[in-house]
């Protein structure tokens, strides 16, 4: 069986296996499958690869997009630039790392954004946040990450977020797991009342389809989108990297 999969710590929220296995079924690819591999720590990766000789590639999710970097034999230019990898192709037991989150976010974002959307707040500073920043940079949209542990002077702390910060940034992207199944009652602590109908508010979380974060933004008449379109776009971009297998 030609096997692909997803590694992460807890994968209860993930739709990736459904997405790929439906695709394989629809396209008559009966000898292909996509599995979820929960790893307690990234150190278990070598054992997973030894135990699954049929594994040809895998996606990487929270919290391993940065932790996987030392395991890569090859890093694509985008991985090097942003320091996060979400797609690995295995060739002769060596791991080739790519980032398809940037392309996935770009393709999901472009149809939504208007010329008056000028600058963005990215909530979080992990792997997905870095991909969103790289995508926005490509569109020359200025962005600021909001972090618990800022890595640079450009990143700001959550408790410095004011209504003015929300007014100054009419794109807001949640790139934290706050609100993601099963933790559906949590949401990013931001001044929601400052959101207007001119804001574009995007949640990378797609399960549930409408998080409390998106509900609160919708109540302020903002344009909202969840992460399902990005998930599908990054999955297709991953497939383009994996196939045809060498
Ligand atoms: P990650 O690399 O582990 O980064 C998570 C980020 O969220 C970090 O900045 C982390 O801050 C922050 N964070 C976690 N818990 C928090 C809390 N309680 N309060 C404030 N900040 C918190 O994970 P990731 O890969 O970037 O994924 C982030 C989210 O995006 C996940 O929900 C993931 O499923 C989603 N995602 C969706 C797609 C899609 O295709 N739709 C693609 C990629 C990611 P610390 O470093 O301080 O912990």
């Amino acid at each position: 069986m030609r096997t692909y999969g997803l590694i992460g710590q807890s994968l209860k929220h993930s739709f990736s296996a459904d997405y790929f296995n439906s695709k394989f079924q629809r396209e008559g690819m009966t000898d292909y499958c996509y599995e979820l591999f929960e790893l307690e720590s990234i150190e278990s990766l070598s054992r997973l690869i030894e135990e699954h000789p049929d594994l040809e590639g895998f996606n990487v999710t929270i919290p391993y997009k940065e932790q996987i970097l030392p395991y890569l034999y090859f890093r694509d230019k985008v991985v090097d630039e942003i320091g996060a990898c979400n797609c690995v192709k295995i060739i002769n037991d060596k791991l080739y790392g790519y980032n398809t989150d940037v392309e996935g976010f770009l393709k999901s974002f472009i149809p939504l954004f208007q010329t008056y959307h000028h600058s963005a707040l990215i909530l979080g500073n992990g792997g997905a946040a870095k991909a969103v920043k790289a995508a926005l940079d490509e569109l020359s949209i200025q962005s600021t990450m909001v972090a618990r542990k800022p890595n640079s002077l450009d990143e700001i702390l959550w408790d410095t977020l004011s209504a003015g910060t929300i007014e100054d940034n009419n794109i807001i992207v949640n790139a934290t797991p706050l609100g993601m199944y099963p933790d559906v009652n949590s949401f990013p602590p931001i001044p929601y009342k400052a959101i207007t109908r001119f804001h574009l508010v995007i949640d990378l979380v797609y399960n549930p389809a409408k998080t409390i974060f998106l509900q609160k933004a919708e109540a302020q008449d903002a344009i909202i989108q969840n992460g399902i379109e990005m998930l599908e776009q990054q999955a297709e971009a991953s497939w383009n990297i994996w196939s045809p297998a060498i």
Side-chain angles (χ1 to χ4, degrees):
M1 199 65 150
R2 303 186 68 165
T3 308
Y4 298 85
L6 172 66
I7 66 161
Q9 204 158 47
S10 165
L11 298 173
K12 290 180 195 71
H13 69 281
S14 179
F15 288 180
S16 293
D18 284 350
Y19 181 82
F20 276 105
N21 289 322
S22 304
K23 173 186 174 76
F24 295 150
Q25 205 172 15
R26 209 172 46 243
E27 297 180 13
M29 300 162 74
T30 48
D31 55 340
Y32 286 77
C33 71
Y34 189 99
E35 291 182 30
L36 299 180
F37 300 109
E38 288 192 348
L39 300 183
E40 256 179 46
S41 74
I42 195 69
E43 283 78 35
S44 323
L45 180 63
S46 311
R47 203 177 66 221
L48 174 90
I49 290 168
E50 271 167 37
E51 287 173 358
H52 294 83
D54 292 348
L55 191 63
E56 295 186 15
F58 57 89
N59 290 121
V60 183
T61 191
I62 185 168
Y64 299 136
K65 287 182 185 177
E66 294 164 89
Q67 293 180 37
I68 193 154
L69 298 183
Y71 292 81
L72 299 177
Y73 170 78
F74 164 84
R75 296 177 190 187
D76 166 67
K77 189 165 121 294
V78 186
V79 173
D80 263 342
E81 273 167 18
I82 69 173
C85 164
N86 76 312
C87 175
V88 172
K89 181 169 181 165
I90 305 175
I91 305 172
N92 297 331
D93 296 331
K94 291 195 167 70
L95 306 186
Y96 290 67
Y98 302 86
N99 190 302
T100 64
D101 278 340
V102 179
E103 180 179 338
F105 182 79
L106 260 182
K107 287 192 168 159
S108 68
F109 178 78
I110 284 170
L112 290 176
F113 108 102
Q114 307 289 330
T115 46
Y116 62 81
H117 289 130
H118 49 78
S119 60
L121 269 187
I122 304 171
L123 309 178
N125 65 345
K130 288 177 173 144
V132 170
K133 185 165 181 45
L136 294 174
D137 284 351
E138 278 192 34
L139 299 173
S140 302
I141 295 175
Q142 188 275 330
S143 62
T144 306
M145 290 191 203
V146 182
R148 295 194 287 198
K149 292 168 277 179
N151 291 322
S152 76
L153 291 174
D154 300 341
E155 299 177 11
I156 61 172
L157 286 163
W158 287 90
D159 53 16
T160 63
L161 269 185
S162 64
T165 325
I166 300 292
E167 282 157 18
D168 290 345
N169 292 278
N170 57 9
I171 302 167
I172 305 174
V173 181
N174 177 32
T176 77
L178 287 165
M180 184 170 77
Y181 180 84
D183 189 20
V184 296
N185 292 322
S186 65
F187 53 88
I190 63 169
Y192 289 92
K193 290 289 175 212
I195 293 176
T196 67
R197 68 190 172 92
F198 297 109
H199 279 80
L200 172 54
V201 177
I202 299 173
D203 203 337
L204 302 194
V205 172
Y206 54 80
N207 181 9
K210 202 184 281 180
T211 54
I212 295 179
F213 170 70
L214 288 186
Q215 290 171 34
K216 284 175 174 284
E218 189 175 47
Q220 299 294 121
D221 292 330
I223 301 166
I224 60 166
Q225 176 163 281
N226 71 16
I228 198 73
E229 178 70 16
M230 176 179 172
L231 176 84
E232 293 180 3
Q233 295 290 353
Q234 65 77 27
E236 284 306 316
S238 296
W239 186 247
N240 288 338
I241 286 166
W242 293 331
S243 64
I246 291 172

